[in-house]
Amino acid sequence: RFGVLPVKAFAAVVAILLAAPVSAATISISCGAVGQELELCREGAEAWAEESGHEVRIVSTPNSTTDRLALYPQMLAAGAGDIDVYQIDVVWPGILAPHLIDLAPFSDGAEAAHLPAVVANNTVDGELKAMPWFTDAGLLFYRRDLLEKHGEQVPETWEELAATAARVVEAERAEGDDALRGFVFQGKAYEGLTTNALEWIASHGGGTIVDDAGAITIDNPAAAEALAEAASWVGTIAPEGVLAYTEEEARGVFQSGRAVFMRNWPYAWALAQAGESPVRARVGVAALPKGGPEGTHVGTLGGYQLAVSRYSESPEIAADLVMHLTGEEEQKRRAIAGAFNPTIAALYEDADVLAAVPFLASLRETVTNAVARPSGVTGEDYNKVSAAFWGTVHEVLAGQAEPEPALARLARDLARIRRDGW
């Protein structure tokens, strides 16, 4: 009755249907804004938008990981679809997992090219809750020119760092530089202090706050020794203002030429080497010092992942944006432009990447074998654990508490938190 459509006509109809534009979606993504993060995120997302035909909207979020972790669960628990793609910290997959989709069905196996430890970190109950975007470990930045000028070596231990910093500052002040400080780090009471203090403690053999079996290990002599040593820096080699420093405050002091040493993440390298930087071509990077001759070089594992909200109205398209941003080409661009450490193993041998970030090859072991915060074992209680830890450490650094009784009190507080979970 309806007749038969000729083959050529049928083929023409199919071609028209295939060529018909798919209605564009607008995908919103939260990007961090530390250093070049926001700029590079915007560039990558806009490139995807141009290629895919969809639109992208960048959502501004707080710089502080603590503030972001306070905001995200509230939005997700309310089922808000305002953000499709979340940039999440390495310790958040277990906390946010119920609100994130499984990305494995959209990855086409791409996760196999990424560092296995980071993929495992992002896998919760067998589901890939986030794709690795860049990885981090705490590093020591130093003024190579000042060490060479005063005949000093890159310190191997924290004790050597303090002594070297004091000597260089004293010598420079004798020449009229009254603004120079010895060491800057992240001393504010927030997640950044947890990463710093974990490095001090683990480098002394004091453990990782809570071990892999869930036992609370923080109340020990090595941990107390590490915190006592760190407290001795405040007001001596480190300015008292360090107790309010996050990554960017520390970088601002160091990059302006007012500090000999700085603890920070790898992103600070590209900014220190930028054309307008006062310390351009005068900075070196090394593993963080050991906690004594018998200690170890320890950097806390950091980095960010990209995840798709379960409440996104366009999860498949949002996942496509995630795969673009975490792919090899984009990770290479970000490594060269911003010194963001790739999570794709092959890029650690890429000549272009190594030319832009020369320390990456020598510090690959530090970056890829960094010590993890106890987020896996503590799960949804991690934020409470970290807040109790950084609060205690801040009191010690500020001279408001002695290490031994403070850590004993912290252990009791953690035991109370554990009573409710983990």
mmCIF file of all heavy atoms in Angstrom, residues 45-78:
data_model
loop_
_atom_site.group_PDB
_atom_site.id
_atom_site.type_symbol
_atom_site.label_atom_id
_atom_site.label_comp_id
_atom_site.label_asym_id
_atom_site.label_seq_id
_atom_site.Cartn_x
_atom_site.Cartn_y
_atom_site.Cartn_z
ATOM 1 N N ALA A 45 38.477 22.663 27.659
ATOM 2 C CA ALA A 45 37.035 22.469 27.545
ATOM 3 C C ALA A 45 36.483 23.167 26.300
ATOM 4 O O ALA A 45 35.608 22.625 25.610
ATOM 5 C CB ALA A 45 36.342 22.994 28.805
ATOM 6 N N GLU A 46 37.001 24.351 26.001
ATOM 7 C CA GLU A 46 36.519 25.070 24.829
ATOM 8 C C GLU A 46 36.950 24.376 23.537
ATOM 9 O O GLU A 46 36.216 24.400 22.532
ATOM 10 C CB GLU A 46 36.999 26.518 24.865
ATOM 11 C CG GLU A 46 36.301 27.340 25.956
ATOM 12 C CD GLU A 46 36.791 28.770 26.040
ATOM 13 O OE1 GLU A 46 37.834 29.075 25.407
ATOM 14 O OE2 GLU A 46 36.154 29.575 26.752
ATOM 15 N N ALA A 47 38.123 23.743 23.552
ATOM 16 C CA ALA A 47 38.550 22.977 22.378
ATOM 17 C C ALA A 47 37.603 21.804 22.143
ATOM 18 O O ALA A 47 37.247 21.488 21.004
ATOM 19 C CB ALA A 47 39.983 22.483 22.572
ATOM 20 N N TRP A 48 37.204 21.146 23.214
ATOM 21 C CA TRP A 48 36.233 20.043 23.101
ATOM 22 C C TRP A 48 34.899 20.560 22.571
ATOM 23 O O TRP A 48 34.270 19.934 21.716
ATOM 24 C CB TRP A 48 36.030 19.379 24.463
ATOM 25 C CG TRP A 48 34.869 18.428 24.502
ATOM 26 C CD1 TRP A 48 34.853 17.115 24.113
ATOM 27 C CD2 TRP A 48 33.535 18.725 24.955
ATOM 28 N NE1 TRP A 48 33.601 16.574 24.285
ATOM 29 C CE2 TRP A 48 32.775 17.537 24.802
ATOM 30 C CE3 TRP A 48 32.914 19.870 25.471
ATOM 31 C CZ2 TRP A 48 31.424 17.473 25.158
ATOM 32 C CZ3 TRP A 48 31.573 19.804 25.813
ATOM 33 C CH2 TRP A 48 30.832 18.622 25.660
ATOM 34 N N ALA A 49 34.460 21.699 23.062
ATOM 35 C CA ALA A 49 33.188 22.266 22.637
ATOM 36 C C ALA A 49 33.195 22.561 21.136
ATOM 37 O O ALA A 49 32.228 22.263 20.422
ATOM 38 C CB ALA A 49 32.877 23.539 23.430
ATOM 39 N N GLU A 50 34.283 23.118 20.659
ATOM 40 C CA GLU A 50 34.382 23.440 19.233
ATOM 41 C C GLU A 50 34.364 22.167 18.395
ATOM 42 O O GLU A 50 33.748 22.116 17.330
ATOM 43 C CB GLU A 50 35.670 24.229 18.978
ATOM 44 C CG GLU A 50 35.819 24.684 17.539
ATOM 45 C CD GLU A 50 37.039 25.560 17.326
ATOM 46 O OE1 GLU A 50 37.659 25.975 18.334
ATOM 47 O OE2 GLU A 50 37.382 25.824 16.154
ATOM 48 N N GLU A 51 35.031 21.146 18.891
ATOM 49 C CA GLU A 51 35.115 19.885 18.154
ATOM 50 C C GLU A 51 33.800 19.110 18.191
ATOM 51 O O GLU A 51 33.397 18.486 17.201
ATOM 52 C CB GLU A 51 36.242 19.031 18.754
ATOM 53 C CG GLU A 51 36.440 17.681 18.099
ATOM 54 C CD GLU A 51 37.548 16.903 18.786
ATOM 55 O OE1 GLU A 51 38.655 17.462 18.935
ATOM 56 O OE2 GLU A 51 37.309 15.745 19.173
ATOM 57 N N SER A 52 33.122 19.141 19.331
ATOM 58 C CA SER A 52 31.922 18.326 19.522
ATOM 59 C C SER A 52 30.631 19.009 19.104
ATOM 60 O O SER A 52 29.611 18.358 18.866
ATOM 61 C CB SER A 52 31.802 17.911 20.995
ATOM 62 O OG SER A 52 31.534 19.046 21.810
ATOM 63 N N GLY A 53 30.641 20.326 19.054
ATOM 64 C CA GLY A 53 29.426 21.050 18.738
ATOM 65 C C GLY A 53 28.568 21.362 19.955
ATOM 66 O O GLY A 53 27.510 21.982 19.831
ATOM 67 N N HIS A 54 29.001 20.929 21.102
ATOM 68 C CA HIS A 54 28.280 21.238 22.335
ATOM 69 C C HIS A 54 28.842 22.517 22.947
ATOM 70 O O HIS A 54 29.864 23.047 22.493
ATOM 71 C CB HIS A 54 28.395 20.075 23.320
ATOM 72 C CG HIS A 54 27.782 18.804 22.810
ATOM 73 N ND1 HIS A 54 26.429 18.651 22.617
ATOM 74 C CD2 HIS A 54 28.352 17.629 22.432
ATOM 75 C CE1 HIS A 54 26.186 17.442 22.149
ATOM 76 N NE2 HIS A 54 27.329 16.795 22.025
ATOM 77 N N GLU A 55 28.183 22.986 23.967
ATOM 78 C CA GLU A 55 28.653 24.172 24.665
ATOM 79 C C GLU A 55 29.200 23.769 26.034
ATOM 80 O O GLU A 55 28.816 22.729 26.584
ATOM 81 C CB GLU A 55 27.515 25.176 24.835
ATOM 82 C CG GLU A 55 26.973 25.715 23.519
ATOM 83 C CD GLU A 55 25.867 26.730 23.723
ATOM 84 O OE1 GLU A 55 25.557 27.053 24.892
ATOM 85 O OE2 GLU A 55 25.307 27.204 22.722
ATOM 86 N N VAL A 56 30.069 24.592 26.563
ATOM 87 C CA VAL A 56 30.647 24.307 27.874
ATOM 88 C C VAL A 56 30.565 25.562 28.732
ATOM 89 O O VAL A 56 30.693 26.680 28.233
ATOM 90 C CB VAL A 56 32.105 23.820 27.739
ATOM 91 C CG1 VAL A 56 33.021 24.942 27.265
ATOM 92 C CG2 VAL A 56 32.612 23.233 29.050
ATOM 93 N N ARG A 57 30.322 25.352 30.000
ATOM 94 C CA ARG A 57 30.238 26.476 30.943
ATOM 95 C C ARG A 57 31.161 26.174 32.112
ATOM 96 O O ARG A 57 31.075 25.113 32.729
ATOM 97 C CB ARG A 57 28.804 26.647 31.436
ATOM 98 C CG ARG A 57 28.600 27.807 32.403
ATOM 99 C CD ARG A 57 27.117 28.070 32.649
ATOM 100 N NE ARG A 57 26.479 26.939 33.304
ATOM 101 C CZ ARG A 57 26.357 26.804 34.637
ATOM 102 N NH1 ARG A 57 26.847 27.736 35.435
ATOM 103 N NH2 ARG A 57 25.745 25.754 35.150
ATOM 104 N N ILE A 58 32.059 27.092 32.391
ATOM 105 C CA ILE A 58 33.003 26.929 33.493
ATOM 106 C C ILE A 58 32.367 27.474 34.769
ATOM 107 O O ILE A 58 31.911 28.623 34.797
ATOM 108 C CB ILE A 58 34.333 27.665 33.230
ATOM 109 C CG1 ILE A 58 34.912 27.256 31.859
ATOM 110 C CG2 ILE A 58 35.324 27.383 34.347
ATOM 111 C CD1 ILE A 58 35.251 25.791 31.742
ATOM 112 N N VAL A 59 32.335 26.650 35.802
ATOM 113 C CA VAL A 59 31.747 27.050 37.077
ATOM 114 C C VAL A 59 32.865 27.400 38.053
ATOM 115 O O VAL A 59 33.776 26.599 38.284
ATOM 116 C CB VAL A 59 30.877 25.920 37.668
ATOM 117 C CG1 VAL A 59 30.288 26.346 39.014
ATOM 118 C CG2 VAL A 59 29.760 25.552 36.700
ATOM 119 N N SER A 60 32.808 28.581 38.598
ATOM 120 C CA SER A 60 33.816 29.024 39.559
ATOM 121 C C SER A 60 33.552 28.380 40.917
ATOM 122 O O SER A 60 32.417 28.361 41.406
ATOM 123 C CB SER A 60 33.778 30.541 39.690
ATOM 124 O OG SER A 60 34.705 30.990 40.647
ATOM 125 N N THR A 61 34.595 27.829 41.518
ATOM 126 C CA THR A 61 34.480 27.202 42.828
ATOM 127 C C THR A 61 35.602 27.713 43.726
ATOM 128 O O THR A 61 36.585 28.270 43.241
ATOM 129 C CB THR A 61 34.585 25.663 42.724
ATOM 130 O OG1 THR A 61 35.833 25.318 42.103
ATOM 131 C CG2 THR A 61 33.436 25.092 41.897
ATOM 132 N N PRO A 62 35.500 27.528 45.041
ATOM 133 C CA PRO A 62 36.552 28.006 45.946
ATOM 134 C C PRO A 62 37.906 27.357 45.649
ATOM 135 O O PRO A 62 37.971 26.202 45.233
ATOM 136 C CB PRO A 62 36.041 27.589 47.325
ATOM 137 C CG PRO A 62 34.572 27.407 47.167
ATOM 138 C CD PRO A 62 34.370 26.923 45.777
ATOM 139 N N ASN A 63 38.986 28.101 45.850
ATOM 140 C CA ASN A 63 40.325 27.552 45.655
ATOM 141 C C ASN A 63 40.646 26.494 46.701
ATOM 142 O O ASN A 63 41.281 25.483 46.406
ATOM 143 C CB ASN A 63 41.378 28.660 45.741
ATOM 144 C CG ASN A 63 41.530 29.395 44.427
ATOM 145 O OD1 ASN A 63 40.910 29.039 43.431
ATOM 146 N ND2 ASN A 63 42.352 30.421 44.425
ATOM 147 N N SER A 64 40.222 26.720 47.922
ATOM 148 C CA SER A 64 40.548 25.811 49.021
ATOM 149 C C SER A 64 39.834 24.480 48.841
ATOM 150 O O SER A 64 38.620 24.420 48.645
ATOM 151 C CB SER A 64 40.140 26.435 50.359
ATOM 152 O OG SER A 64 40.143 25.464 51.380
ATOM 153 N N THR A 65 40.599 23.384 48.918
ATOM 154 C CA THR A 65 39.986 22.058 48.813
ATOM 155 C C THR A 65 39.017 21.821 49.966
ATOM 156 O O THR A 65 37.998 21.145 49.796
ATOM 157 C CB THR A 65 41.062 20.963 48.819
ATOM 158 O OG1 THR A 65 41.896 21.118 49.977
ATOM 159 C CG2 THR A 65 41.919 21.041 47.578
ATOM 160 N N THR A 66 39.314 22.373 51.112
ATOM 161 C CA THR A 66 38.426 22.232 52.271
ATOM 162 C C THR A 66 37.081 22.885 51.999
ATOM 163 O O THR A 66 36.022 22.308 52.278
ATOM 164 C CB THR A 66 39.071 22.857 53.518
ATOM 165 O OG1 THR A 66 40.328 22.217 53.765
ATOM 166 C CG2 THR A 66 38.190 22.685 54.740
ATOM 167 N N ASP A 67 37.107 24.096 51.434
ATOM 168 C CA ASP A 67 35.865 24.797 51.124
ATOM 169 C C ASP A 67 35.083 24.069 50.043
ATOM 170 O O ASP A 67 33.848 23.996 50.085
ATOM 171 C CB ASP A 67 36.159 26.232 50.682
ATOM 172 C CG ASP A 67 36.729 27.077 51.813
ATOM 173 O OD1 ASP A 67 36.554 26.689 52.980
ATOM 174 O OD2 ASP A 67 37.350 28.117 51.523
ATOM 175 N N ARG A 68 35.800 23.514 49.063
ATOM 176 C CA ARG A 68 35.119 22.796 47.990
ATOM 177 C C ARG A 68 34.463 21.524 48.510
ATOM 178 O O ARG A 68 33.348 21.176 48.109
ATOM 179 C CB ARG A 68 36.102 22.449 46.874
ATOM 180 C CG ARG A 68 36.064 23.425 45.720
ATOM 181 C CD ARG A 68 36.959 22.987 44.600
ATOM 182 N NE ARG A 68 38.321 23.443 44.809
ATOM 183 C CZ ARG A 68 39.339 23.115 44.029
ATOM 184 N NH1 ARG A 68 39.161 22.313 43.006
ATOM 185 N NH2 ARG A 68 40.548 23.586 44.257
ATOM 186 N N LEU A 69 35.158 20.833 49.406
ATOM 187 C CA LEU A 69 34.593 19.595 49.944
ATOM 188 C C LEU A 69 33.406 19.882 50.850
ATOM 189 O O LEU A 69 32.546 19.023 51.038
ATOM 190 C CB LEU A 69 35.658 18.798 50.700
ATOM 191 C CG LEU A 69 35.219 17.408 51.188
ATOM 192 C CD1 LEU A 69 34.669 16.582 50.027
ATOM 193 C CD2 LEU A 69 36.368 16.680 51.854
ATOM 194 N N ALA A 70 33.344 21.066 51.391
ATOM 195 C CA ALA A 70 32.160 21.442 52.170
ATOM 196 C C ALA A 70 30.991 21.759 51.252
ATOM 197 O O ALA A 70 29.835 21.509 51.597
ATOM 198 C CB ALA A 70 32.483 22.650 53.049
ATOM 199 N N LEU A 71 31.282 22.275 50.049
ATOM 200 C CA LEU A 71 30.240 22.696 49.117
ATOM 201 C C LEU A 71 29.687 21.542 48.283
ATOM 202 O O LEU A 71 28.472 21.398 48.138
ATOM 203 C CB LEU A 71 30.815 23.770 48.185
ATOM 204 C CG LEU A 71 29.933 24.247 47.032
ATOM 205 C CD1 LEU A 71 28.694 24.957 47.576
ATOM 206 C CD2 LEU A 71 30.733 25.167 46.110
ATOM 207 N N TYR A 72 30.565 20.715 47.741
ATOM 208 C CA TYR A 72 30.138 19.677 46.800
ATOM 209 C C TYR A 72 29.128 18.690 47.379
ATOM 210 O O TYR A 72 28.110 18.402 46.737
ATOM 211 C CB TYR A 72 31.349 18.923 46.255
ATOM 212 C CG TYR A 72 32.180 19.699 45.256
ATOM 213 C CD1 TYR A 72 33.342 19.149 44.731
ATOM 214 C CD2 TYR A 72 31.813 20.976 44.835
ATOM 215 C CE1 TYR A 72 34.116 19.844 43.809
ATOM 216 C CE2 TYR A 72 32.588 21.682 43.926
ATOM 217 C CZ TYR A 72 33.741 21.105 43.417
ATOM 218 O OH TYR A 72 34.497 21.794 42.512
ATOM 219 N N PRO A 73 29.367 18.114 48.565
ATOM 220 C CA PRO A 73 28.387 17.160 49.089
ATOM 221 C C PRO A 73 27.009 17.775 49.294
ATOM 222 O O PRO A 73 25.991 17.086 49.117
ATOM 223 C CB PRO A 73 29.002 16.727 50.427
ATOM 224 C CG PRO A 73 30.462 16.950 50.267
ATOM 225 C CD PRO A 73 30.556 18.191 49.431
ATOM 226 N N GLN A 74 26.967 19.047 49.657
ATOM 227 C CA GLN A 74 25.668 19.714 49.829
ATOM 228 C C GLN A 74 24.915 19.780 48.500
ATOM 229 O O GLN A 74 23.724 19.485 48.428
ATOM 230 C CB GLN A 74 25.871 21.125 50.369
ATOM 231 C CG GLN A 74 26.425 21.199 51.781
ATOM 232 C CD GLN A 74 26.614 22.641 52.235
ATOM 233 O OE1 GLN A 74 25.858 23.526 51.866
ATOM 234 N NE2 GLN A 74 27.639 22.888 53.036
ATOM 235 N N MET A 75 25.640 20.146 47.430
ATOM 236 C CA MET A 75 25.015 20.247 46.120
ATOM 237 C C MET A 75 24.554 18.874 45.633
ATOM 238 O O MET A 75 23.448 18.709 45.117
ATOM 239 C CB MET A 75 25.995 20.860 45.124
ATOM 240 C CG MET A 75 26.407 22.277 45.436
ATOM 241 S SD MET A 75 27.639 22.911 44.276
ATOM 242 C CE MET A 75 26.709 22.890 42.740
ATOM 243 N N LEU A 76 25.422 17.883 45.806
ATOM 244 C CA LEU A 76 25.111 16.551 45.303
ATOM 245 C C LEU A 76 24.006 15.891 46.113
ATOM 246 O O LEU A 76 23.135 15.214 45.558
ATOM 247 C CB LEU A 76 26.379 15.700 45.313
ATOM 248 C CG LEU A 76 27.434 16.115 44.272
ATOM 249 C CD1 LEU A 76 28.774 15.471 44.581
ATOM 250 C CD2 LEU A 76 26.976 15.761 42.865
ATOM 251 N N ALA A 77 24.040 16.074 47.421
ATOM 252 C CA ALA A 77 23.007 15.470 48.267
ATOM 253 C C ALA A 77 21.629 16.024 47.930
ATOM 254 O O ALA A 77 20.614 15.335 48.102
ATOM 255 C CB ALA A 77 23.325 15.710 49.744
ATOM 256 N N ALA A 78 21.595 17.250 47.419
ATOM 257 C CA ALA A 78 20.324 17.864 47.034
ATOM 258 C C ALA A 78 19.894 17.448 45.633
ATOM 259 O O ALA A 78 18.834 17.860 45.152
ATOM 260 C CB ALA A 78 20.441 19.378 47.109
#
